[in-house]
Amino acid sequence: MRLEDVADELNVNLPQVRSLVRSGDLPAIKIGGRGVWRVERSELEAYIQRQYTVARESIEAGSIENESGD
């Protein structure tokens, strides 16, 4: 998947996806001389599952906030 496709899938902006790749949280590979980045669907699904685990642990620890920060 192109990084733009990943951004669409996660409903985030492209710089956020680039940050995930740069940090190593979302594994990606660089293809060809023009430096086109790609993420395998399986890596994206694994990332999503890890985030569900983190969310579940936060909920169990009682440290969840709503989206407005209240």
Side-chain angles (χ1 to χ4, degrees):
M1 300 176 68
R2 299 174 310 133
L3 296 186
E4 294 86 353
D5 299 327
V6 173
D8 287 343
E9 184 85 15
L10 295 176
N11 197 28
V12 298
N13 61 38
L14 187 55
Q16 288 174 300
V17 174
R18 286 189 179 126
S19 178
L20 291 171
V21 169
R22 207 173 8 260
S23 71
D25 288 338
L26 181 60
I29 57 173
K30 189 174 174 182
I31 304 292
R34 295 187 325 163
V36 178
W37 287 89
R38 296 284 189 259
V39 174
E40 289 184 45
R41 166 102 21 216
S42 61
E43 293 292 351
L44 177 57
E45 293 299 328
Y47 169 77
I48 292 169
Q49 289 307 310
R50 288 192 302 274
Q51 294 309 109
Y52 274 120
T53 299
V54 168
R56 190 170 29 257
E57 289 170 355
S58 292
I59 291 167
E60 290 170 357
S63 61
I64 187 168
E65 298 176 11
N66 65 28
E67 290 184 18
S68 65
D70 293 341

